[in-house]
């Protein structure tokens, strides 16, 4: 891949651009807003400094990686010579369809077009596409430059070489791609995550424990193990006969609601949106939120470093 284009310079976009530039690729980062591109480059540099601080890259690598990223506010300039395009635009289907129409009228016929969507099935994204066989989903997780997982979603018409080249590109960039063999809402990780979140909020509503202790029960229990042993292998280690009894006992008592919990609905209705509003189930001081995010990312980096030794 001689040139990779990332469309959208927001939180996920600049993280993905960093991933590919760090892997040695020439990257064009596109956005309609010049200030968004300027902020993205600052964020990339700051992120790379964190990688340097824990010894994952050399200091000289920071400039080298940033210099591989060229910004553009002209779409034709951004995609005309690209070999691989990733769009990271808002989750509005009409917006994505309009973007794909523009891209396909400009880019090379062999260019692979990927979406970072976590919402739409590939069949809907490609509904109006000229060449459906070259389109694919590469779903990164925030922060994209740190979390290893990327879900790769194909469909029956997706060309095999598109799948193979995409997986190879991600592996060379240090990512862990997993391929969905069939379309399903939420893909893999978000379905698993949603199941845990639904049960966590059910425990909150029942007053079983404090919100702090419910979070600790995951981060210091299953979450601790899941970093290296997934839920399916966990059942093998525990014994399938044991887990058969556990599931038979617990499944009838688990939350099975079909929509968001009331506690979330009530807080959203009151404008309590979490970090973005300063209050969710926890309260957030605007002066310390950034510090908390930076602390989170440092911890993630240390875990990433540990997993790379695995």
């Amino acid at each position: 891949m001689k040139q990779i284009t990332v469309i959208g310079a927001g939180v996920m976009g600049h993280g993905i651009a960093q991933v590919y530039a760090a892997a040695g690729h020439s990257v064009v980062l596109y956005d309609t807003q010049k200030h968004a591109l300027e902020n993205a480059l600052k964020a990339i540099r700051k992120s790379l400094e964190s990688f340097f601080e824990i010894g994952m890259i050399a200091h000289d690598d920071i400039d080298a990686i940033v210099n591989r990223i060229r910004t553009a506010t002209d779409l034709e300039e951004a995609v005309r010579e690209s070999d691989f395009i990733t769009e990271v635009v808002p989750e509005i289907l009409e917006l994505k369809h309009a973007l794909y129409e523009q891209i396909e009228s400009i880019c090379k016929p062999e260019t692979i077009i990927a979406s970072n969507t976590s919402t739409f099935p590939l069949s809907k994204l490609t509904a109006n596409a000229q060449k459906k066989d070259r389109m694919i989903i590469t779903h990164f997780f925030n922060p994209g430059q740190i979390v290893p997982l990327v879900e790769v979603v194909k469909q029956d018409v997706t060309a095999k070489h598109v799948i193979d080249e995409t997986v190879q590109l991600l592996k060379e960039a240090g990512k862990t791609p997993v391929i969905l063999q069939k379309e399903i809402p939420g893909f893999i990780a978000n379905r698993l995550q949603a199941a845990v979140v639904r049960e966590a909020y059910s425990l909150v509503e029942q007053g079983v424990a404090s919100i702090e202790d419910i979070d600790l029960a995951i981060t210091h229990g299953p979450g601790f193990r899941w970093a290296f042993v997934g839920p399916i292998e966990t059942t093998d280690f525990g014994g399938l006969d044991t887990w058969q009894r556990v599931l038979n006992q617990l499944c009838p008592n688990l939350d099975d609601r079909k929509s968001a919990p009331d506690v979330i609905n009530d807080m959203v209705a009151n404008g309590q949106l979490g970090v973005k509003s300063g209050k969710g189930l926890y309260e957030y001081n605007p002066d310390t939120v950034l510090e908390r995010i930076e602390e989170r990312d440092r911890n993630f980096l240390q875990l990433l470093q540990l997993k790379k030794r695995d």
Side-chain angles (χ1 to χ4, degrees), residues 6 20 24 52 60 135 162 171 174 187 189 212 220 256 274 309:
V6 178
Y20 290 134
F52 162 69
D60 289 346
M135 298 185 70
V162 168
K171 286 183 176 179
F187 308 151
E212 295 85 357
H220 287 62
D256 63 354
R309 299 177 193 155

Side-chain angles (χ1 to χ4, degrees), residues 116-172:
N116 186 57
T117 186
S118 61
T119 304
F120 298 113
L122 187 57
S123 57
K124 281 193 176 181
L125 290 179
T126 63
N128 303 327
Q130 297 174 20
K131 286 176 58 64
K132 293 179 173 61
D133 63 332
R134 64 164 167 185
M135 298 185 70
I136 199 163
I137 291 172
T138 53
H139 177 222
F140 286 71
F141 287 77
N142 186 33
Q145 70 274 27
I146 300 177
V147 180
L149 179 66
V150 181
E151 294 176 315
V152 177
V153 187
K154 62 183 181 65
Q155 57 183 336
D156 290 344
V157 299
T158 309
K160 185 178 184 301
H161 77 88
V162 168
I163 302 166
D164 293 344
E165 289 176 29
T166 299
V167 168
Q168 185 64 25
L169 174 67
L170 291 167
K171 286 183 176 179
E172 290 175 354

Side-chain angles (χ1 to χ4, degrees), residues 192-205:
L192 295 171
Q193 183 171 240
V196 173
V197 168
R198 181 173 65 179
E199 188 61 33
Y201 273 88
S202 176
L203 296 174
V204 169
E205 291 177 341

Side-chain angles (χ1 to χ4, degrees), residues 288-305:
T288 59
V289 165
L290 185 58
E291 293 176 9
R292 177 71 180 105
I293 292 173
E294 290 175 350
E295 178 189 17
R296 177 203 69 180
D297 288 355
R298 282 194 299 271
N299 290 333
F300 285 170
L301 278 171
Q302 290 174 345
L303 178 59
L304 176 63
Q305 195 173 34

Side-chain angles (χ1 to χ4, degrees), residues 275-294:
V275 170
K276 63 176 68 175
S277 69
K279 180 175 173 57
L281 272 74
Y282 293 96
E283 291 192 14
Y284 301 91
N285 183 331
D287 297 328
T288 59
V289 165
L290 185 58
E291 293 176 9
R292 177 71 180 105
I293 292 173
E294 290 175 350

